[in-house]
Amino acid sequence: MKITITPNRVVEGFESESIMEVLARNQISVQNVCSGKGLCGKCKVQFFSGLQEPTQSDLKHLTIKEIEAGFRLACGVKAEEGMEIKVAHTEIYDRKDAALHDMLEINLDHGVQKVFVKVPKPSLQDERGDWNRLNDELLEILDFETVSIKMFALDKLPSVLRAGDFAVTATLWDNQVLDVEAGNTTLTIFGVAVDIGTTSVAVSLVDLNSAQLIRVVSHENEQTAYGADVISRISYARESGEKRHRLKDAVKQTINSLLNQLVKESGIPANSIYKMTVVSNTTMNHLFLGLDTSNLAVAPYVSVLNSFYELSATKLGIEINPEARILTFPNIGSFVGGDTVGAVIGTPEVLEDGNHLLIDLGTNCELFLKTSHEMMACSTAAGPAFEGAGITQGMRAKPGAIEAVTITEDGVEIKVIGSQKAIGICGSGLIEGIEQMKLAGIINKQGKIIDPEKESSLSPRLKARIRSGGKAGREFVLSDGEKEGVDVFLNQGDISELQLAKGAVCAGIKTLVGMVGISIQDLDSVVLAGTFASYLKASSILEIGLVPNINPDKIKTVGNAAHVGAMRALLNRTVFQDATELAKKVKHVELGGNKAFTSNYMRSMYLERTN
């Protein structure tokens, strides 16, 4: 059956498939937190043809205005011939690009080498094979006892030699020839650093001759069609080998789309990209490589591998030079992956003398603590609230999302990404909004929205923004959508979701610090990493107790440190070797079942400064 996705794409649906499944199979992104179970209400699409009666999930999650306008949840609608639908655009806003700090000064030693050689032409007196004569010349130039050649390069060598009148450029990784090109192409040598996040994927293109960062692009990880967090994707992958490979194909498609965008915008041939470094959490690492993730979710939480892995681009179907080297960062443990190692490598100051805490905030939250005598790391079950998932009107950081909030007696001021009408709220807006509601007296430290009829100290303008929200409890309106727009609000359930997320982070910090026998005040620095963290204010995270109370001057943000770490390792092999050694030295702490964590968690739920 044919289904039209406006404005002009036609896809095929199969009998018994939901619209969610049709979109996912065709790599069309739609928000999905609950793996298509109808629980989150995020996968709304608008029907122009083939509209069905609303389901119970539609009635629960959609407003009357949305239902009348033809919106339905994609997971609850069975595909039918002739349907025409509109899917909300889910491309990630350029926050990753904006938050990616400049790379630190670094010596170039990336391991990829281009050598221009003029090879003696064959004759009746010199009947050496094409590879033999090139090999002899390379051994004269290079400091290797032997040189080998990949079949990809060997197969094309005869035509390349003759096309260049026996002047050829050989590209080597150590003593292996990866590729050969006619003429002198030594100036065209590029690499990419990839950050595979649970929510989004970022790819940076770097000139390996000059260390110049050419461009960074990012997009939603297409795996989100199968679940918002790592647990839901592990569950999906466990259902069958086919579904596991579907997740592998989804992230491969995301990376290849971004690579194609880079190639198109830069004019750099894909075949000139010879090296890729990849950072990701342990689950994303396994799904990228197509490995079994089933043991990651059950005690004792064992991965297939924690060490780094090297393979060719063609093995994974990555659309760069077929023999380009792909290096994945090592994992520390089941839920502390190469992205944490990358964040430390990208923020080397946390390895300096003293006590330093690195917090990598995102869909998953990892903590790294370095003291004078040990290094420890853990992961906290913060959930996807920081990315807007699980929040009634939560959304990712893209145009239309409220990203900052100020509340005074006169009302509410908001900052919206893209300077347009607010249609939802992202993580930074959620944290600042709740902090401001707390300071204004709209909510108490338990997170409860006050009864405006019983509270006399609140100004009439703020009281007017508090209204009954039905089963979700009271809600506070941040932005009035007026007649045509959508009111953006935070309700009691949204506040609870934030309390659960921030409580897990705060409890993780307290537990880790307590295990090494120091206090929060003994920390010399608290470094917030991750794109999301770059948009947070120290005052906000302290006021709601996301981070235990500490001198705000000790708090700093470093942007997407994991991606920076991937770029530094791309440019220097020693940095990558340092990363592999670091991963071996860090003690992995499993918080599940930890009594101290459980106790800290219960005490970290309040919206207040905490010690």
Side-chain angles (χ1 to χ4, degrees):
M1 64 187 75
K2 303 298 183 185
I3 297 172
T4 301
I5 312 297
T6 60
N8 55 14
R9 183 172 178 182
V10 178
V11 298
E12 187 168 355
F14 300 127
E15 190 175 349
S16 80
E17 268 192 321
S18 68
I19 290 297
M20 165 77 76
E21 291 170 325
V22 173
L23 295 174
R25 183 167 48 77
N26 287 278
Q27 287 86 46
I28 300 172
S29 296
V30 62
Q31 286 202 63
N32 171 27
V33 175
C34 66
S35 299
K37 295 181 175 66
L39 302 176
C40 68
K42 296 294 183 183
C43 61
K44 48 182 143 176
V45 296
Q46 188 174 17
F47 285 79
F48 298 111
S49 179
L51 182 65
Q52 298 177 0
E53 289 297 313
T55 64
Q56 288 300 312
S57 291
D58 292 329
L59 295 172
K60 178 181 178 181
H61 294 291
L62 303 177
T63 66
I64 294 175
K65 187 186 296 185
E66 287 174 325
I67 289 173
E68 290 176 346
F71 284 92
R72 297 291 186 270
L73 298 183
C75 64
V77 179
K78 292 298 181 183
E80 291 182 357
E81 176 69 39
M83 282 182 164
E84 183 179 353
I85 64 176
K86 179 181 179 181
V87 180
H89 186 53
T90 58
E91 183 175 356
I92 296 293
Y93 186 56
D94 64 354
R95 274 186 159 195
K96 274 196 181 291
D97 195 348
L100 192 60
H101 286 197
D102 292 335
M103 287 178 289
L104 301 174
E105 289 289 329
I106 191 167
N107 294 324
L108 276 175
D109 180 23
H110 43 71
V112 182
Q113 185 176 186
K114 275 197 166 187
V115 181
F116 176 61
V117 183
K118 292 185 177 180
V119 180
K121 295 181 181 179
S123 67
L124 291 176
Q125 289 73 39
D126 182 2
E127 297 180 352
R128 287 176 297 167
D130 290 335
W131 164 238
N132 301 90
R133 66 184 62 249
L134 174 58
N135 185 32
D136 290 343
E137 295 303 313
L138 290 173
L139 290 174
E140 287 288 330
I141 299 171
L142 303 172
D143 188 23
F144 294 125
E145 291 185 3
T146 61
V147 176
S148 62
I149 186 169
K150 292 289 187 179
M151 180 57 71
F152 168 74
L154 184 62
D155 185 55
K156 62 192 290 192
L157 181 60
S159 58
V160 166
L161 279 173
R162 286 154 184 83
D165 196 27
F166 285 82
V168 63
T169 299
T171 303
L172 294 96
W173 174 254
D174 291 328
N175 67 336
Q176 286 188 322
V177 176
L178 305 180
D179 198 3
V180 288
E181 299 165 285
N184 188 344
T185 64
T186 53
L187 295 180
T188 56
I189 178 170
F190 301 91
V192 287
V194 180
D195 176 12
I196 303 176
T198 309
T199 301
S200 61
V201 177
V203 180
S204 57
L205 177 63
V206 181
D207 187 329
L208 296 184
N209 272 323
S210 64
Q212 179 187 358
L213 174 60
I214 298 170
R215 186 162 174 76
V216 183
V217 292
S218 62
H219 196 276
E220 181 181 32
N221 186 337
E222 292 182 14
Q223 289 181 349
T224 56
Y226 307 100
D229 53 38
V230 295
I231 298 300
S232 61
R233 290 184 211 168
I234 290 173
S235 299
Y236 183 82
R238 289 178 68 178
E239 293 177 12
S240 69
E242 179 186 351
K243 290 189 173 181
R244 169 154 50 101
H245 287 290
R246 192 175 292 168
L247 289 170
K248 177 184 178 182
D249 289 342
V251 70
K252 179 183 73 174
Q253 172 67 27
T254 307
I255 293 171
N256 282 338
S257 294
L258 292 170
L259 288 169
N260 291 335
Q261 181 183 343
L262 285 170
V263 166
K264 181 178 179 181
E265 293 176 357
S266 67
I268 292 167
N271 268 352
S272 295
I273 301 173
Y274 298 100
K275 184 180 178 183
M276 173 189 286
T277 50
V278 182
V279 293
S280 62
N281 64 51
T282 308
T283 301
M284 295 301 103
N285 164 267
H286 280 44
L287 294 175
F288 173 62
L289 296 173
L291 301 176
D292 184 4
T293 57
S294 58
N295 292 314
L296 289 174
V298 293
Y301 313 107
V302 178
S303 64
V304 176
L305 86 164
N306 281 338
S307 54
F308 81 93
Y309 201 71
E310 178 184 333
L311 69 170
S312 67
T314 193
K315 290 282 188 182
L316 287 175
I318 300 300
E319 296 173 358
I320 52 180
N321 189 285
E323 289 297 336
R325 298 291 89 190
I326 296 180
L327 299 172
T328 64
F329 266 59
N331 302 310
I332 294 173
S334 55
F335 289 102
V336 181
D339 51 353
T340 301
V341 178
V344 174
I345 292 298
T347 319
E349 57 263 39
V350 301
L351 296 175
E352 294 176 357
D353 290 340
N355 303 318
H356 304 283
L357 175 68
L358 174 71
I359 307 172
D360 195 354
L361 284 171
T363 308
N364 303 295
C365 177
E366 291 87 23
L367 307 173
F368 169 84
L369 177 63
K370 181 264 173 191
T371 68
S372 58
H373 55 279
E374 62 185 317
M375 294 183 289
M376 305 174 75
C378 68
S379 174
T380 63
F386 294 142
E387 300 285 351
I391 308 302
T392 306
Q393 290 181 299
M395 60 187 290
R396 299 183 180 107
K398 62 180 182 178
I402 295 175
E403 64 173 343
V405 179
T406 302
I407 299 177
T408 65
E409 288 187 356
D410 295 328
V412 179
E413 293 182 11
I414 59 173
K415 181 180 178 182
V416 182
I417 296 176
S419 301
Q420 62 184 60
K421 193 72 175 176
I423 59 175
I425 187 166
C426 64
S428 58
L430 173 69
I431 287 176
E432 194 163 307
I434 290 176
E435 177 237 2
Q436 289 289 299
M437 289 168 67
K438 165 75 167 34
L439 292 174
I442 297 162
I443 57 178
N444 58 26
K445 72 175 186 178
Q446 286 82 19
K448 184 178 180 181
I449 300 176
I450 58 99
D451 183 346
E453 300 298 325
K454 298 180 180 179
E455 181 57 56
S456 59
S457 62
L458 213 59
S459 72
R461 290 188 178 183
L462 294 182
K463 283 185 179 181
R465 290 176 175 267
I466 301 174
R467 63 191 188 192
S468 173
K471 292 182 179 179
R474 295 190 186 99
E475 56 192 34
F476 181 78
V477 179
L478 297 173
S479 173
D480 185 352
E482 300 173 348
K483 290 184 178 181
E484 298 181 357
V486 176
D487 290 349
V488 180
F489 56 84
L490 291 174
N491 62 31
Q492 199 66 66
D494 300 331
I495 297 168
S496 296
E497 287 292 326
L498 186 277
Q499 287 176 280
L500 291 170
K502 78 94 187 174
V505 176
C506 186
I509 295 170
K510 291 178 178 178
T511 304
L512 213 57
V513 167
M515 290 180 72
V516 298
I518 64 174
S519 70
I520 298 296
Q521 304 309 319
D522 291 328
L523 292 173
D524 296 295
S525 70
V526 175
V527 180
L528 298 176
T531 307
F532 159 69
S534 300
Y535 294 83
L536 299 180
K537 296 176 182 177
S539 59
S540 297
I541 63 176
L542 292 172
E543 188 64 39
I544 68 169
L546 174 63
V547 172
N549 205 23
I550 193 172
N551 184 340
D553 291 339
K554 292 184 177 181
I555 298 175
K556 63 176 292 189
T557 61
V558 292
N560 194 355
H563 200 166
V564 173
M567 287 193 289
R568 296 185 79 242
L570 176 71
L571 292 169
N572 189 288
R573 287 181 294 179
T574 301
V575 170
F576 188 79
Q577 291 166 3
D578 290 343
T580 61
E581 291 303 313
L582 174 72
K584 297 174 186 176
K585 295 176 182 177
V586 179
K587 179 182 178 181
H588 178 234
V589 177
E590 176 54 57
L591 295 180
N594 185 299
K595 291 182 179 179
F597 174 76
T598 302
S599 176
N600 286 326
Y601 186 44
M602 298 304 294
R603 296 198 303 268
S604 300
M605 297 289 287
Y606 295 113
L607 297 171
E608 62 180 356
R609 290 177 180 257
T610 177
N611 294 316

